[in-house]
């Protein structure tokens, strides 16, 4: 047998092993599209896009690894590369005993097929540029599933979360990805505000059918910021019919909102309940690691290198809004470009010092935090500050302390003073709440909402 023949056999074995491990759909959509390439004496698995790579690793990583090892040798690690597909004859190496340790030299894919229809999609919001972390993993996975098989899984997919956390990005990514896989689909991204404007315009021009065909004739409707519809009865009525029409014909909807449907208070129940028919998923503020990963990704495009300690500094300053996070990085890189100087921690600190303090309204103080938390739990401020140990008062008190720790830069003893307690009690409470947050969704939601409220408008107290 010649080398290429043997390589072809090995590749066929590998494919068989994969095929045996997944459903036909998964095989057709994902694994059958892996192609082999030779890199020195290693076999590289070439995938069509970064999105594809992530999906394969996430969903079928173990299978691929097992199959790879069983065919190419027990020490072999599958190596991936994003790139154009080979269709020429295989020239795989025979000797696969010692694959090198390097990981795939991932290359960016070129642009996907450019959407020709008026999709309104924002070009740069793609899965490829979406950094996945704990805070958004579920929303991301659901979005990918929807993009892969529109209308088949979750309808609607409803994504909610605070400003700047990636909702618009994900909606657009679904559109791009679905079009890449199914170029004939009709995809439309629209903000709720533009949906309303289109509607008004169609009435003004006495062309209601234009509006209907525009929005009811799509395969995927990506409707952003649906909280905008609150209290606007006529558009709610119209959207209700659009929703039903799309739903009944199995068309996919992905809807975003800054809050859970239950908190869209002026929405009629019939619409609210429809939002819950499919899958509801939230996006949380990113943790430190994700923030750094996002910054690192953005920094790749900076004209001058951004040192890691600068990225960490920025990630430490901005925690609950990715747009602001990117904004802070942009200001630092802009400063360095303007001054033709490399970026270092000291300059970054100086540049961001102004920005952070001037952007911040009035500093948030413990009084406001205590008052707001007490209200949320139906207690008085006196209750929270009292020595009573009954539940759920204790929890409310602990959450207030936790929020003081998170949202102010007061020291533990200083916070303790506000609660007539010592710093070890504060520390204990903070740690306790952190643990509860990881296990109790209701508390998590409550704390999250309080945080958002306080950050948004709470800064009226004189503080410490
Ligand atoms: P939202 O619609 O929730 O207010 P956006 O989708 O507009 O937020 O995101 C704000 C900015 O942050 C955008 O520039 C977006 O690309 C970026 N962004 C958000 N989430 C991520 C992420 N996970 N990875 C990379 N960039 C992100
Ligand atoms: Mg948005």
């Amino acid at each position: 047998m010649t080398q290429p023949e043997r390589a072809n056999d090995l590749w066929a074995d590998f494919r068989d092993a994969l095929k045996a491990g997944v459903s036909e759909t998964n095989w057709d959509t994902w694994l059958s599209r892996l192609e082999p390439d030779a890199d020195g004496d290693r076999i590289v698995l070439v995938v069509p896009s970064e999105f594809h790579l992530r999906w394969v690793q996430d969903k079928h990583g173990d299978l691929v690894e097992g199959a790879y090892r069983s065919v190419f040798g027990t020490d072999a690690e599958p190596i991936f590369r994003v790139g154009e597909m080979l269709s020429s004859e295989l020239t795989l190496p025979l000797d696969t005993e010692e694959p090198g340790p390097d990981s795939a030299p991932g290359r960016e894919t070129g642009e996907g097929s450019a959407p020709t229809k008026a999709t309104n999609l924002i070009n740069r919001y793609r899965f490829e540029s979406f950094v996945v972390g704990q805070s958004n993993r579920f929303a991301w996975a659901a979005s990918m599933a929807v993009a892969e098989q529109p209308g088949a899984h979750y309808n609607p997919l409803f994504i909610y979360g605070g400003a700047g956390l990636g909702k618009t990005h994900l909606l657009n990514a679904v559109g791009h990805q679905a079009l890449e896989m199914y170029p004939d689909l009709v995809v439309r991204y629209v903000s709720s505000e533009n949906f309303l404007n289109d509607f008004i315009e169609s009435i003004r021009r006495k062309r209601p059918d234009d509006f209907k065909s525009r929005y009811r004739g799509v395969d995927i409707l990506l409707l952003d910021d649906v909280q905008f519809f609150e209290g606007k009865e006529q558009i709610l009525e119209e959207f209700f019919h659009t929703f039903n029409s799309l739903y009944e014909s199995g068309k996919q909807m992905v809807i975003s909102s800054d809050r859970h449907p239950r908190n869209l208070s002026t929405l009629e129940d019939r619409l609210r309940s429809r939002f819950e028919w499919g899958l509801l998923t939230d996006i949380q503020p990113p943790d430190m690691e994700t923030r750094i990963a996002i910054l690192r990704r953005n920094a790749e495009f900076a004209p001058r290198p951004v040192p890691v300690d600068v990225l960490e500094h920025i990630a430490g300053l901005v925690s609950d809004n990715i747009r602001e996070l990117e904004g802070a990085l942009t200001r630092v890189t802009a400063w360095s470009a303007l001054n033709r100087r490399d970026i270092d921690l000291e300059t970054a600190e100086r540049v961001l010092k102004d920005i952070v303090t001037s952007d911040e309204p009035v500093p948030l103080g413990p009084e406001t935090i205590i008052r707001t938390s007490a209200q949320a739990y139906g207690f008085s401020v006196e209750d929270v500050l009292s020595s009573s140990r009954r539940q759920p008062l204790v929890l409310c008190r602990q959450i207030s302390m936790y929020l003081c720790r998170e949202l102010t830069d007061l020291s533990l003893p200083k916070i303790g003073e506000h609660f007539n307690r010592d710093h070890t009690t504060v520390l204990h409470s903070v740690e306790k709440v952190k643990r509860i947050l990881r296990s109790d969704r209701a508390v998590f939601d409550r704390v999250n909402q309080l945080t958002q409220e306080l950050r948004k408008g709470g800064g009226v107290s004189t503080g410490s």
Side-chain angles (χ1 to χ4, degrees):
M1 202 178 342
T2 66
Q3 255 202 14
E5 274 168 5
R6 168 142 162 75
N8 271 320
D9 279 355
L10 287 177
W11 184 253
D13 290 348
F14 175 64
R15 279 172 60 92
D16 288 346
L18 290 183
K19 197 170 180 177
V22 290
S23 70
E24 209 175 305
T25 318
N26 273 321
W27 167 252
D28 286 343
T29 316
W30 301 108
L31 298 180
S32 68
R33 296 171 70 188
L34 300 184
E35 299 262 359
D37 193 11
D39 174 14
D41 50 12
R42 297 173 301 174
I43 291 158
V44 176
L45 307 176
V46 186
V47 292
S49 67
E50 215 158 287
F51 168 82
H52 203 102
L53 172 62
R54 273 197 193 163
W55 186 277
V56 167
Q57 286 182 321
D58 216 52
K59 306 279 176 187
H60 309 293
D62 290 345
L63 174 68
V64 173
E65 196 168 309
Y68 195 89
R69 291 209 167 121
S70 72
V71 174
F72 297 114
T74 46
D75 293 336
E77 277 287 333
I79 298 161
F80 291 93
R81 195 185 71 217
V82 178
E84 78 284 4
M85 287 306 170
L86 299 173
S87 47
S88 52
E89 199 193 351
L90 303 181
T91 48
L92 292 180
L94 264 181
D95 182 5
T96 57
E97 260 141 52
E98 281 208 293
D102 320 15
S103 62
R107 197 152 44 85
E108 284 289 336
T109 39
E111 291 290 299
S113 55
T116 49
K117 307 172 203 87
T119 62
N120 287 332
L121 290 173
I122 300 161
N123 197 33
R124 71 184 184 89
Y125 289 167
R126 292 169 181 266
F127 281 124
E128 283 85 343
S129 57
F130 191 82
V131 175
V132 183
Q134 238 3 73
S135 55
N136 56 28
R137 183 174 300 279
F138 195 67
W140 166 75
S143 302
M144 295 239 284
V146 160
E148 182 204 6
Q149 289 180 305
H153 294 294
Y154 317 119
N155 208 8
L157 170 61
F158 192 98
I159 301 174
Y160 66 97
L165 296 183
K167 302 182 296 295
T168 299
H169 192 134
L170 274 182
L171 257 58
N172 280 274
V174 168
H176 286 301
Q177 186 56 35
L179 278 173
E180 207 168 291
M181 298 179 71
Y182 314 101
D184 294 334
L185 288 187
V186 181
V187 174
R188 182 173 294 272
Y189 167 85
V190 66
S191 70
S192 296
E193 191 170 353
N194 281 341
F195 185 88
L196 172 64
N197 292 341
D198 273 0
F199 178 61
I200 294 172
E201 184 65 13
S202 73
I203 294 176
R204 197 181 63 77
R205 292 170 52 202
K206 302 196 170 59
R207 307 280 291 271
D209 288 344
D210 281 3
F211 180 82
K212 284 200 178 111
S213 68
R214 177 171 310 164
Y215 290 106
R216 297 186 196 182
V218 301
D219 297 299
I220 303 182
L221 181 65
L222 307 159
L223 181 74
D224 211 355
D225 290 320
V226 78
Q227 75 275 358
F228 181 82
F229 286 168
E230 263 208 312
K232 303 186 174 70
E233 268 165 41
Q234 209 185 354
I235 195 67
L236 283 170
E237 176 75 20
E238 183 58 35
F239 180 64
F240 180 73
H241 296 301
T242 307
F243 185 103
N244 289 343
S245 161
L246 290 173
Y247 188 86
E248 276 154 24
S249 44
K251 305 303 190 186
Q252 179 70 49
M253 285 169 278
V254 186
I255 301 171
S256 85
S257 163
D258 68 354
R259 61 203 102 131
H260 192 287
R262 88 169 94 80
N263 298 326
L264 292 167
S265 48
T266 66
L267 240 58
E268 293 164 273
D269 286 343
R270 59 177 187 166
L271 194 53
R272 201 189 345 263
S273 68
R274 274 167 175 73
F275 286 162
E276 302 187 17
W277 277 355
L279 183 71
L280 281 171
T281 167
D282 64 347
I283 304 192
Q284 296 292 335
D287 55 27
M288 187 70 177
E289 208 184 318
T290 312
R291 299 204 293 277
I292 293 176
I294 291 171
L295 287 173
R296 185 169 291 147
R297 209 193 148 89
N298 281 304
E300 281 171 22
F301 304 102
R304 285 161 194 257
V306 188
V308 173
D309 57 355
V310 171
L311 297 181
E312 285 170 355
H313 175 67
I314 298 172
L317 282 178
V318 186
S319 62
D320 63 347
N321 185 322
I322 295 169
R323 194 175 300 118
E324 286 174 15
L325 191 68
E326 292 177 340
L329 176 65
T330 306
R331 295 190 205 195
V332 172
T333 54
W335 185 92
S336 96
L338 281 174
N339 294 281
R340 307 219 168 115
R341 286 197 24 206
D342 277 347
I343 302 157
D344 61 25
L345 182 59
E346 204 195 311
T347 38
E349 277 171 357
R350 209 174 49 243
V351 172
L352 292 179
K353 195 165 187 111
D354 312 344
I355 295 159
V356 170
T357 48
S358 69
D359 266 2
E360 221 141 57
V362 187
L364 188 58
E367 285 89 345
T368 312
I369 294 175
I370 296 169
R371 195 179 57 243
T372 311
S373 326
Q375 260 165 15
Y377 276 90
F379 294 117
S380 68
V381 171
E382 286 72 26
D383 289 333
V384 175
L385 301 183
S386 74
S387 55
S388 166
R389 300 208 39 80
R390 74 193 148 88
Q391 284 293 8
L393 178 59
V394 174
L395 177 64
C396 172
R397 184 181 300 134
Q398 289 171 330
I399 287 175
S400 308
M401 292 185 192
Y402 168 84
L403 289 171
C404 286
R405 182 70 176 156
E406 286 291 303
L407 302 179
T408 72
D409 41 23
L410 295 176
S411 65
L412 292 172
K414 269 259 177 274
I415 295 173
E417 276 172 36
H418 284 275
F419 289 84
N420 307 318
R421 278 156 172 91
D422 69 13
H423 74 276
T424 51
T425 308
V426 179
L427 185 60
H428 168 80
S429 302
V430 171
E431 292 308 317
K432 177 92 190 268
V433 172
K434 279 188 190 160
R435 276 199 305 277
I436 299 175
L437 289 180
R438 278 185 245 126
S439 60
D440 188 328
R441 190 62 186 222
V443 173
F444 185 97
D445 284 344
R446 173 66 63 81
V447 168
N448 204 41
Q449 203 175 349
L450 276 170
T451 307
Q452 283 178 14
E453 260 173 49
L454 286 165
R455 280 233 164 96
K456 224 178 275 165
V460 282
S461 148
T462 49
S464 60

